[in-house]
Structure formats: C-alpha cells, structure tokens
Amino acid sequence: MAKPTKKTTVRQPSSYELMGARIQKIINSPKAQQARDVTVHRLPDEPAADWARFLEDVAESENVKIEHVDSDGVRLTWTVPAD
C-alpha cells in the first residue's frame, strides 16, 4: 500500500515582509553602514499601509532619526550605542 504524501505549503511573504527585506538590504549595504545614513522611498507597488507601519516601527527605535524628504521617502540616520 502506498504511503499518503504530505502536502507542504510554502507560506508566501507578506507585502510588508517583502518591503522590509528590500529596505533591510539597503540599510545593510556597506556604504549605508559606513555613513549610518540612508534614504529610502516607498515603491509604487508597495501599499501605503505597509509604508505607514514601517515608519511607525522605525519611530519606536531609540537610535534612529527619521527625516521626511518627500511624500514617499525618508532619510534614516542612526547611531550605534556605546557598550
């Protein structure tokens, strides 16, 4: 008798997770890390609600400053706390 096969479902990342991964890649670039400064923009296909959630999440970070540069862009600067 054949064994029943298990169906594994692969969860697709949410639009917020995809946007977060894109922004994280920008922030983690060597140039951004050295400058501790980066400007990011919401892409046309990214939901405005995801962008607003991202800005709220970043605003909760203690060592990050947000400066709005235009309607869909922000400049993020950060400091690294001394140990």
Side-chain angles (χ1 to χ4, degrees):
M1 185 183 292
K3 291 183 181 179
T5 59
K6 289 185 180 180
K7 287 189 175 184
T8 56
T9 58
V10 177
R11 186 182 75 77
Q12 296 297 318
S14 69
S15 59
Y16 183 76
E17 291 169 326
L18 291 171
M19 184 185 71
R22 178 183 70 82
I23 294 171
Q24 185 175 25
K25 184 176 178 180
I26 295 167
I27 291 170
N28 287 336
S29 73
K31 183 177 177 181
Q33 286 296 303
Q34 183 177 18
R36 295 187 183 137
D37 179 291
V38 69
T39 300
V40 293
H41 292 84
R42 181 176 72 88
L43 298 180
D45 64 334
E46 294 172 335
D50 287 351
W51 184 252
R53 180 179 165 195
F54 163 72
L55 294 178
E56 288 174 11
D57 289 349
V58 171
E60 293 176 2
S61 300
E62 290 183 22
N63 299 315
V64 180
K65 180 182 170 189
I66 301 173
E67 176 186 343
H68 293 269
V69 293
D70 58 35
S71 63
D72 288 327
V74 291
R75 179 177 176 213
L76 305 175
T77 56
W78 61 92
T79 58
V80 178
D83 289 333

